[in-house]
Amino acid sequence: MLKLHAGQLPDPGALRRALAEPPGPGRDTALRAAAPAALRLDLDAIDEPLRGRSFAHHAELDAWWAGHLDADAAAATDPRVPPPAALAVAVRQARPALRTLITAGGLSGESYRRDILGWFNGFANFVSGGPPALRVRQLRALLDAGVVRLLGPVRPGTRAESAVVPGLSVRPDAVIDAWLPGTDVTTDGPGVVRGLLTDGVARPHRLASAGSAAEPLPTGALDVRPADGRVRRPDGTAHRALFAVGVPLEGVRWTTAIGARPGTNADFFHETDRVAAELLRAVGPPECRHDAVPVPRRPLTEERQQ
């Protein structure tokens, strides 16, 4: 990002010196002085873009939303990668490294549930994810056509009364909860994965508890052998012909499936390559099963997505 927008830095050296300082109030002050507001990621503004705003009429709110959507669509498609988009990409690209540290057993089960599943995963998805630019433009068109009506934040204690436009409210016939629930193979309803656990073919993935005598805590994922994706039986041995990738592993390899964007070198593609290679060895002629050589992968370029 700094290479793309170096001209916006009054003193690049001051920013490098600020970044080298130990964490603390002095470092924060130096960073604010060295980096203009346009180059900072304002998480509060992303979380609550209407905080502190009010509108006299619904038309004013519509106009604000229209400008907000236009700016978001422009940032998502701008080849110069505006600072907010670049910082969102940086958050997204930090997740694979963190996922590797976690799956290596560096966190206790309590810390994983509290700090990763309870905070970081949702935080990273919120900051770095979002609808494609096409969906943003479609919402903009629906807003212009009067098909969609946006209230902004709802006043506390009410179901559909705007907190930013006095007197603006609606009476809905139905309410849709659009929150995406987490994946937990130990509690999810009937299905193939649940059947594997019930039949004793597979087991849930667990992380050791901080207390030496405490039971390991489930992560919500299916337990597999990391090297090849083979499902682990309750006794810890790997099943010869049963593999798992994607959603059942979300508890430990979060965003692997949803983050596999075309044209990128996503971790999920490497994971499925490994599983495919093992499957070919398993079903191939006996003389070839231990000599198969995976086809070399052509490096793919990373792709930005807002």
mmCIF file of all heavy atoms in Angstrom, residues 10 49 62 95 98 101 225 269 291 297:
data_model
loop_
_atom_site.group_PDB
_atom_site.id
_atom_site.type_symbol
_atom_site.label_atom_id
_atom_site.label_comp_id
_atom_site.label_asym_id
_atom_site.label_seq_id
_atom_site.Cartn_x
_atom_site.Cartn_y
_atom_site.Cartn_z
ATOM 1 N N PRO A 10 4.003 12.416 4.067
ATOM 2 C CA PRO A 10 4.856 13.611 4.149
ATOM 3 C C PRO A 10 6.319 13.263 4.432
ATOM 4 O O PRO A 10 7.225 13.954 3.980
ATOM 5 C CB PRO A 10 4.236 14.404 5.315
ATOM 6 C CG PRO A 10 3.461 13.400 6.097
ATOM 7 C CD PRO A 10 2.991 12.381 5.120
ATOM 8 N N PRO A 49 -20.676 3.124 10.467
ATOM 9 C CA PRO A 49 -20.459 4.300 9.603
ATOM 10 C C PRO A 49 -21.403 5.459 9.896
ATOM 11 O O PRO A 49 -21.101 6.597 9.531
ATOM 12 C CB PRO A 49 -20.700 3.740 8.195
ATOM 13 C CG PRO A 49 -21.530 2.517 8.400
ATOM 14 C CD PRO A 49 -21.094 1.937 9.700
ATOM 15 N N ASP A 62 -31.148 8.452 2.481
ATOM 16 C CA ASP A 62 -30.979 7.756 1.203
ATOM 17 C C ASP A 62 -29.784 8.309 0.427
ATOM 18 O O ASP A 62 -29.004 7.560 -0.170
ATOM 19 C CB ASP A 62 -32.246 7.891 0.359
ATOM 20 C CG ASP A 62 -33.348 6.952 0.816
ATOM 21 O OD1 ASP A 62 -33.075 6.109 1.683
ATOM 22 O OD2 ASP A 62 -34.482 7.074 0.316
ATOM 23 N N ARG A 95 -4.427 -13.903 7.669
ATOM 24 C CA ARG A 95 -5.115 -15.049 8.259
ATOM 25 C C ARG A 95 -4.421 -16.390 8.009
ATOM 26 O O ARG A 95 -4.335 -17.215 8.936
ATOM 27 C CB ARG A 95 -6.562 -15.099 7.763
ATOM 28 C CG ARG A 95 -7.412 -13.984 8.327
ATOM 29 C CD ARG A 95 -8.842 -14.058 7.865
ATOM 30 N NE ARG A 95 -8.981 -13.895 6.423
ATOM 31 C CZ ARG A 95 -10.135 -13.699 5.811
ATOM 32 N NH1 ARG A 95 -11.260 -13.667 6.526
ATOM 33 N NH2 ARG A 95 -10.197 -13.548 4.508
ATOM 34 N N LEU A 98 -1.653 -16.885 10.557
ATOM 35 C CA LEU A 98 -2.194 -17.106 11.889
ATOM 36 C C LEU A 98 -2.820 -18.490 12.002
ATOM 37 O O LEU A 98 -2.668 -19.177 13.020
ATOM 38 C CB LEU A 98 -3.236 -16.033 12.210
ATOM 39 C CG LEU A 98 -3.838 -16.068 13.616
ATOM 40 C CD1 LEU A 98 -2.739 -15.952 14.667
ATOM 41 C CD2 LEU A 98 -4.852 -14.954 13.790
ATOM 42 N N LEU A 101 -0.142 -21.054 12.688
ATOM 43 C CA LEU A 101 0.315 -21.039 14.072
ATOM 44 C C LEU A 101 -0.683 -21.741 14.985
ATOM 45 O O LEU A 101 -0.300 -22.462 15.914
ATOM 46 C CB LEU A 101 0.514 -19.586 14.543
ATOM 47 C CG LEU A 101 1.640 -18.806 13.871
ATOM 48 C CD1 LEU A 101 1.614 -17.360 14.337
ATOM 49 C CD2 LEU A 101 2.990 -19.442 14.165
ATOM 50 N N ARG A 225 -5.972 -35.675 9.383
ATOM 51 C CA ARG A 225 -4.516 -35.634 9.364
ATOM 52 C C ARG A 225 -4.096 -34.481 8.463
ATOM 53 O O ARG A 225 -4.420 -34.476 7.269
ATOM 54 C CB ARG A 225 -3.954 -36.965 8.866
ATOM 55 C CG ARG A 225 -2.457 -37.114 9.076
ATOM 56 C CD ARG A 225 -2.014 -38.560 8.969
ATOM 57 N NE ARG A 225 -2.179 -39.099 7.615
ATOM 58 C CZ ARG A 225 -1.868 -40.339 7.277
ATOM 59 N NH1 ARG A 225 -1.411 -41.180 8.201
ATOM 60 N NH2 ARG A 225 -2.031 -40.766 6.040
ATOM 61 N N PHE A 269 -6.883 -24.346 -2.482
ATOM 62 C CA PHE A 269 -6.478 -25.042 -3.701
ATOM 63 C C PHE A 269 -5.337 -26.027 -3.419
ATOM 64 O O PHE A 269 -5.304 -27.132 -3.952
ATOM 65 C CB PHE A 269 -6.054 -24.040 -4.776
ATOM 66 C CG PHE A 269 -7.170 -23.143 -5.238
ATOM 67 C CD1 PHE A 269 -6.932 -21.813 -5.551
ATOM 68 C CD2 PHE A 269 -8.458 -23.617 -5.345
ATOM 69 C CE1 PHE A 269 -7.963 -20.990 -5.972
ATOM 70 C CE2 PHE A 269 -9.498 -22.798 -5.760
ATOM 71 C CZ PHE A 269 -9.248 -21.483 -6.079
ATOM 72 N N ASP A 291 4.638 -44.345 -6.014
ATOM 73 C CA ASP A 291 5.583 -43.662 -6.901
ATOM 74 C C ASP A 291 4.969 -42.475 -7.612
ATOM 75 O O ASP A 291 5.629 -41.830 -8.421
ATOM 76 C CB ASP A 291 6.119 -44.638 -7.962
ATOM 77 C CG ASP A 291 6.828 -45.815 -7.321
ATOM 78 O OD1 ASP A 291 7.476 -45.612 -6.283
ATOM 79 O OD2 ASP A 291 6.709 -46.925 -7.867
ATOM 80 N N ARG A 297 2.555 -27.457 -9.830
ATOM 81 C CA ARG A 297 1.584 -26.373 -9.916
ATOM 82 C C ARG A 297 2.225 -25.135 -10.519
ATOM 83 O O ARG A 297 3.345 -24.770 -10.188
ATOM 84 C CB ARG A 297 1.049 -26.014 -8.526
ATOM 85 C CG ARG A 297 0.147 -27.067 -7.920
ATOM 86 C CD ARG A 297 -0.285 -26.647 -6.523
ATOM 87 N NE ARG A 297 -0.855 -25.311 -6.524
ATOM 88 C CZ ARG A 297 -2.117 -25.032 -6.838
ATOM 89 N NH1 ARG A 297 -2.930 -26.009 -7.196
ATOM 90 N NH2 ARG A 297 -2.576 -23.800 -6.810
#
